[in-house]
Amino acid sequence: MARNKYNVDEELETGFNLGYLKRLLGYMKPYKVKIFISVLLMLLSSSISLIGPVIAKTALDNYIPNRNINGLIVLSTLYVLIFISIAIIMRHRMFTMGEVGQSILVDMRHDLFKNLQYVPFNYYDSRPHGKILVRVVNYINSLSDILSNGFVNLIADMVTLIMTIIFMSFLSIKLTLVTLIGIPILLAVMLSIKNAQRRAYQKLSSKQSNLNAYIHESINGIRVTQSFSRKKENMNIYEELCTDCSDSWMKAVSLNFLVWPSIETISVISISLIYIFGILVFKGGISVGLLVAFISYVWIFWAPITNIGNFYNTLINAMAYLERIFEAMDEKPEYDKEDAKTFKDVKGDVTFKDVYFEYEKDIPILENINMNIKSGEKVALVGPTGAGKTTIVNLLSRFYRIKSGNIFIDGTDINDVTLKSLRKEVGVMLQDPFVFSGTIMENIRYGRLSATDEEVINAAKIVRADDFIKDFNDGYNTYLNEQGSGLSVGQKQLISFARVLLADPKILILDEATSSIDTETEALLQEGIEELLKGRTSFVIAHRLSTIVNSNKIMYVGDKKILEEGTHEDLLKVKGLYYNLYKSQYIEV
């Protein structure tokens, strides 16, 4: 399957969509009461702040010329109380919206992670896991500011802007019109750079994704890196990715910086025009107090415009991340049909009928796969690496959707049953064992949380995992770090084996289940496996042919088909592909 790499920019599969912004607002709906209260507090704070210039005008035009000390004391006290009130209101608003913003981030991260639990395997096969991780963590975190402050501040700034214009109009209609001259110019500047900003932030998000993917890959492969002394080469790659990321960031913020200087320049010009028109053009109609008050209102007028400009920059940035977040959130999950049935009383008959599968369009991996397996039979799949053996059993578990054909269990198409009930009956021991952080007991119980400690220990004994677990100081309560560091690959395989066994499936898939286990332990394990497989349908993929000679059926997979099928003795008599494979491992046949 074509796989996006750490040095390949991700292309968005969907274009710019304002619906994403609507969806973001939808996440705010459950917190509308707190948001409404925050907006009211913000408006109250803005309204109180507008009283300041009126106080200044009264002091300059009335109290100072008349030497009204008591009046000045009252105005000064009122001025201090105004700013104390604003500080208290702002503190409460910031705390409330901070809490709301973080709650929304938790909700979005929950929905994204939930969808990632259901998307099919080909989603993970087609991109580095670091590029998925960056969406769940970094991109969603980048929305914090716009959710905590952005939208509430936008509403408050818009209302403050309108109220400021009203206050200015009461003082002087003519000066108000002069002030508004700069607005069309500012809008023209912002609209002219909008598309360039969006493209710049999309490129930045791609470079950040690439960097995160490489870091994730490097950490996972650090043992290989150090064993091959690849540190210098890897640092060169890392520095190149960092440079790409830095260059993209500089390009994006350079466009952002066009907005703030534009607002500052236009605001300074408008204030200069106020002085010119107020002193030279509108002679005799404007007092010093009115001019000072009006200039104060002009500064207040441009403050929310600056905030709106900053919000605009933040929104353009956020949209680049939202597009990628919602793209992942909209990835089609592997859901059940509306009328899907629940598997009950499964016996274990398995049928493949004309199954055709491809990872990439028009590049078949399997063609015309047919098989009929009776309940309780042990089926071995052999053949060269890459022939499609693991793919066959993955299709049985519905990890991937087949292109055409049908797969039946007990005569029921696996697409017609719920995924949960299907995978409860099909246990898979993967080729690469995975151990989660937690105790050994928790790892084995992962597939059946209701299992008792005795059942966990019994499963471990059957697969011979108990032999090494009991040697740990804490036994089954031994805590394992991420990916089971400190355990050998063979020990992790045994723990994974016990996990599958405990789930007690009717159909068992063993994909190279004993490949990392020493010969002595494997011999003991085979006894437990044979006992376990009694009464179960099983599919075994193994390169060591000694482990599958007693299978009811052996199928040789190659050239996208099942080329040979029969028992061990029957296939040896044919002297075909299986015979040659067996002969290559054992001199005497």
Side-chain angles (χ1 to χ4, degrees):
M1 179 176 293
R3 182 178 175 87
N4 181 275
K5 298 180 290 184
Y6 68 79
N7 58 350
V8 177
D9 291 345
E10 287 184 291
E11 295 293 335
L12 277 170
E13 297 176 7
T14 56
F16 181 80
N17 188 348
L18 283 176
Y20 290 155
L21 188 57
K22 185 178 179 181
R23 287 175 66 176
L24 181 62
L25 294 175
Y27 277 97
M28 302 176 72
K29 190 174 181 180
Y31 309 97
K32 58 186 178 183
V33 174
K34 287 186 177 181
I35 294 173
F36 180 71
I37 292 173
S38 295
V39 171
L40 288 181
L41 291 174
M42 192 70 180
L43 295 178
L44 177 60
S45 172
S46 299
S47 301
I48 293 174
S49 67
L50 291 173
I51 300 174
V54 175
I55 293 174
K57 178 182 180 301
T58 303
L60 289 170
D61 287 347
N62 299 323
Y63 290 179
I64 292 178
N66 297 324
R67 298 181 181 277
N68 187 343
I69 303 301
N70 291 332
L72 288 173
I73 292 173
V74 172
L75 290 179
S76 298
T77 303
L78 180 59
Y79 207 74
V80 171
L81 290 175
I82 285 173
F83 280 96
I84 292 175
S85 300
I86 291 173
I88 294 173
I89 291 171
M90 291 297 290
R91 181 184 182 279
H92 185 273
R93 185 200 67 80
M94 291 176 66
F95 178 82
T96 301
M97 282 310 300
E99 184 180 35
V100 169
Q102 289 304 308
S103 298
I104 294 172
L105 294 185
V106 169
D107 293 342
M108 292 186 68
R109 196 173 285 116
H110 170 271
D111 288 350
L112 178 54
F113 187 75
K114 179 181 177 181
N115 194 60
L116 291 175
Q117 304 302 299
Y118 290 91
V119 294
F121 280 10
N122 54 14
Y123 178 77
Y124 296 96
D125 293 341
S126 63
R127 68 208 71 210
H129 295 170
K131 292 194 176 186
I132 301 172
L133 181 65
V134 74
R135 299 183 186 218
V136 182
V137 182
N138 300 47
Y139 288 175
I140 289 184
N141 283 344
S142 298
L143 303 177
S144 178
D145 186 56
I146 196 171
L147 292 172
S148 299
N149 300 299
F151 288 109
V152 170
N153 286 350
L154 176 65
I155 296 171
D157 287 329
M158 294 293 290
V159 175
T160 300
L161 196 60
I162 295 170
M163 292 176 63
T164 304
I165 294 173
I166 294 172
F167 271 72
M168 289 194 301
S169 298
F170 277 119
L171 293 179
S172 173
I173 291 291
K174 295 178 180 178
L175 293 179
T176 301
L177 293 175
V178 172
T179 304
L180 296 176
I181 290 174
I183 298 300
I185 301 173
L186 178 62
L187 288 175
V189 172
M190 296 177 72
L191 290 175
S192 66
I193 63 174
K194 176 176 70 70
N195 291 332
Q197 280 183 294
R198 177 175 179 263
R199 288 193 297 270
Y201 273 105
Q202 280 186 339
K203 185 174 182 180
L204 173 60
S205 66
S206 291
K207 298 304 181 184
Q208 290 173 334
S209 179
N210 292 348
L211 180 61
N212 195 79
Y214 187 70
I215 293 172
H216 183 270
E217 178 184 287
S218 297
I219 292 173
N220 282 341
I222 192 64
R223 296 180 186 275
V224 178
T225 296
Q226 293 190 5
S227 65
F228 283 93
S229 297
R230 273 270 308 189
K231 297 180 283 294
K232 184 177 179 180
E233 291 83 353
N234 287 8
M235 279 304 303
N236 290 335
I237 296 173
Y238 175 76
E239 288 172 3
E240 182 179 343
L241 292 172
C242 282
T243 300
D244 289 343
C245 195
S246 176
D247 291 344
S248 298
W249 185 86
M250 289 301 298
K251 177 67 180 298
V253 297
S254 66
L255 291 169
N256 273 7
F257 288 157
L258 291 176
V259 176
W260 179 78
S262 298
I263 295 174
E264 287 294 302
T265 302
I266 295 171
S267 65
V268 170
I269 292 174
S270 68
I271 290 171
S272 300
L273 291 174
I274 295 299
Y275 281 115
I276 294 171
F277 277 80
I279 297 173
L280 300 179
V281 180
F282 307 139
K283 294 180 181 179
I286 297 178
S287 65
V288 174
L290 188 147
L291 186 61
V292 170
F294 197 89
I295 294 298
S296 298
Y297 278 124
V298 173
W299 283 116
I300 294 175
F301 170 80
W302 282 104
I305 292 180
T306 301
N307 293 337
I308 292 171
N310 291 332
F311 172 81
Y312 172 80
N313 283 336
T314 305
L315 182 62
I316 292 294
N317 185 0
M319 285 302 296
Y321 295 129
L322 277 176
E323 288 169 336
R324 297 187 184 279
I325 291 169
F326 286 131
E327 182 190 50
M329 207 176 284
D330 292 339
E331 188 71 27
K332 190 175 180 180
E334 183 69 23
Y335 280 136
D336 301 321
K337 292 181 178 179
E338 290 184 4
D339 57 346
K341 299 178 292 186
T342 301
F343 256 144
K344 293 181 179 178
D345 302 323
V346 174
K347 296 179 181 178
D349 294 335
V350 176
T351 302
F352 279 61
K353 183 178 180 182
D354 299 326
V355 171
Y356 176 96
F357 176 75
E358 58 187 31
Y359 289 110
E360 293 185 71
K361 186 175 176 60
D362 300 327
I363 303 179
I365 301 298
L366 298 171
E367 294 179 320
N368 195 34
I369 298 297
N370 290 280
M371 62 174 74
N372 282 291
I373 312 301
K374 298 298 182 183
S375 173
E377 286 189 334
K378 178 182 177 181
V379 180
L381 301 177
V382 300
T385 300
K389 305 183 294 295
T390 298
T391 300
I392 289 175
V393 294
N394 281 342
L395 296 180
L396 179 60
S397 302
R398 223 169 90 188
F399 289 148
Y400 300 92
R401 287 278 189 175
I402 59 178
K403 183 75 173 180
S404 62
N406 302 92
I407 301 175
F408 301 94
I409 294 179
D410 292 352
T412 301
D413 193 311
I414 61 172
N415 290 320
D416 295 333
V417 299
T418 63
L419 202 57
K420 184 176 182 179
S421 65
L422 170 66
R423 290 179 181 168
K424 181 180 178 182
E425 301 298 344
V426 181
V428 183
M429 176 60 193
L430 298 173
Q431 188 171 355
D432 299 317
F434 190 91
V435 175
F436 297 90
S437 57
T439 65
I440 293 177
M441 182 75 72
E442 290 169 341
N443 265 279
I444 298 176
R445 191 181 276 132
Y446 191 86
R448 183 157 70 93
L449 298 179
S450 60
T452 64
D453 289 355
E454 289 73 18
E455 288 174 320
V456 170
I457 294 171
N458 185 57
K461 286 180 177 179
I462 291 176
V463 301
R464 301 300 190 267
D466 182 74
D467 296 343
F468 74 86
I469 294 174
K470 64 186 180 182
D471 291 336
F472 291 126
N473 292 333
D474 295 327
Y476 285 84
N477 292 318
T478 300
Y479 191 88
L480 305 177
N481 295 323
E482 185 180 4
Q483 297 185 6
S485 59
L487 295 179
S488 69
V489 177
Q491 288 173 328
K492 285 189 281 189
Q493 254 187 336
L494 291 177
I495 289 175
S496 299
F497 212 123
R499 181 193 299 154
V500 175
L501 260 138
L502 185 64
D504 194 26
K506 293 293 188 296
I507 300 171
L508 191 62
I509 295 171
L510 306 180
D511 187 353
E512 292 292 337
T514 61
S515 60
S516 299
I517 300 172
D518 62 85
T519 306
E520 183 179 351
T521 303
E522 182 184 16
L524 296 172
L525 178 59
Q526 284 299 330
E527 298 175 11
I529 292 176
E530 292 304 321
E531 183 65 28
L532 172 72
L533 295 184
K534 289 181 179 178
R536 301 177 196 270
T537 305
S538 60
F539 291 81
V540 180
I541 299 174
H543 287 293
R544 296 183 205 170
L545 301 186
S546 61
T547 63
I548 52 95
V549 293
N550 62 344
S551 300
N552 300 105
K553 290 181 181 179
I554 297 175
M555 297 182 178
Y556 188 99
V557 183
D559 195 24
K560 308 167 190 173
K561 300 177 179 66
I562 297 175
L563 300 177
E564 293 182 358
E565 178 180 344
T567 64
H568 172 70
E569 290 77 12
D570 292 339
L571 293 178
L572 289 181
K573 291 177 183 177
V574 175
K575 292 190 176 183
L577 296 169
Y578 177 78
Y579 173 86
N580 292 332
L581 181 65
Y582 190 80
K583 187 177 180 180
S584 67
Q585 292 189 17
Y586 301 94
I587 302 300
E588 296 183 5
V589 179

